Every structure is written in C-alpha cells, then in structure tokens.
C-alpha cells in the first residue's frame, strides 16, 4: 500500500471516530497523503471549528517531519533546542500530540491528525485510526 486513497482514508476515519465516540468526545479527524495533501477531513457533530485546521496541521506535521507530532513536545518548550519551531512553515507545525504518520514498509505514506479534546484523547483516537491502517497491511 503505497498510496492513501479516499476509500482507505474513510476506513481510517471510521475507526478513529468509533474511538472518539467511546470516550464521548466530538473530534475532527484528518488524513493526508505522503505529500501532506488533504485526502479527507471529518468533523463530528459539535466538534470545535478550530479543530479543523489543527487536525489537518497535526497530520501535515507528521508527514513533513516523519514522526508523531507528540515527539516535538519536549523539544519545543521555552529554552529547549527547538523552541519556536511551531512558528516556522507558516505556523503549520503542531508541537503536541494527535498527529501520527501512516507507515508502510518503513516509508511514510500519509498521516492522521486528530483534534478536539485533551492531547491524550487526541492521541488515543489517532492511534485507533493508525490501527485500522496497520490492519489493512496485514
């Protein structure tokens, strides 16, 4: 699976939405391809409007840096090595959890970004989407 298609993105989103419903939070779930281009975005009823951009930017960050957005948290606090990183790339870099790359055979082929709750909940829901992706690879 070298490409994140719309059909695959819909399945990833469905898995993530199921996890969001289990914790009782309306979220925005975004899936991008390996170039950071939007494949699909899904805003659950009553999810925060601000989460639309945040979810897309979390996914973009994960593709652009080939890592979960959560990996940037400690390195970007004041006085840390990458402080201010979030001000680069026209403010698109998100330096807290909720964005996770989709990896096939060691290559980042896309990413999921989730926003709408606490960072641990955003990560939990994103991980549910990644699980759907990984199950499709098996």
């Amino acid at each position: 699976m070298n490409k994140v298609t719309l059909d695959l993105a819909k399945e990833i989103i469905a898995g993530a939405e199921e996890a969001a419903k289990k914790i009782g939070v309306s979220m925005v779930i975004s899936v991008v391809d390996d170039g950071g281009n939007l494949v699909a975005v899904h805003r659950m009823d009553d999810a925060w409007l601000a989460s639309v951009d945040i979810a897309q930017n979390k996914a973009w960050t994960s593709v652009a840096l080939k890592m979960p957005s959560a990996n940037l948290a400690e390195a970007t606090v004041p006085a840390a090595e990458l402080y201010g990183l979030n001000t680069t790339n026209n403010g698109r870099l998100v330096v807290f959890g909720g964005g996770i790359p989709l990896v096939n055979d060691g290559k980042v082929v896309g990413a999921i970004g989730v926003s709408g709750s606490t960072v641990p909940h955003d990560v939990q829901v994103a991980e549910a989407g990644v699980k759907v992706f990984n199950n499709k690879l098996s």
Side-chain angles (χ1 to χ4, degrees):
M1 193 172 318
N2 297 329
K3 185 175 179 173
V4 177
T5 64
L6 178 59
D7 286 340
L8 176 58
K10 287 178 181 180
E11 291 182 55
I12 292 167
I13 287 169
E17 181 177 14
E18 185 178 320
K21 285 179 179 177
K22 282 182 184 173
I23 58 175
V25 181
S26 292
M27 297 189 161
V28 176
I29 305 153
S30 180
V31 176
V32 300
D33 66 14
D34 62 345
N37 302 299
L38 183 64
V39 177
V41 64
H42 179 74
R43 180 176 168 257
M44 295 172 66
D45 291 340
D46 298 322
W48 297 331
L49 291 175
S51 291
V52 174
D53 280 346
I54 296 168
Q56 289 180 49
N57 287 340
K58 284 181 180 183
W60 185 87
T61 298
S62 293
V63 166
L65 297 178
K66 300 181 189 295
M67 69 175 70
S69 58
N71 288 12
L72 299 169
E74 288 185 29
T76 56
V77 296
E81 180 181 6
L82 298 176
Y83 177 66
L85 182 70
N86 58 305
T87 66
T88 68
N89 294 276
N90 295 316
R92 287 192 79 183
L93 289 174
V94 178
V95 295
F96 50 89
I100 304 176
L102 302 171
V103 180
N104 181 22
D105 201 22
K107 183 175 188 244
V108 174
V109 296
I112 183 172
V114 175
S115 179
S117 186
T118 63
V119 170
H121 280 163
D122 289 357
V123 170
Q124 179 181 345
V125 171
E127 286 173 344
V130 172
K131 184 177 180 182
V132 169
F133 175 78
N134 289 338
N135 287 341
K136 296 295 282 185
L137 297 177
S138 324

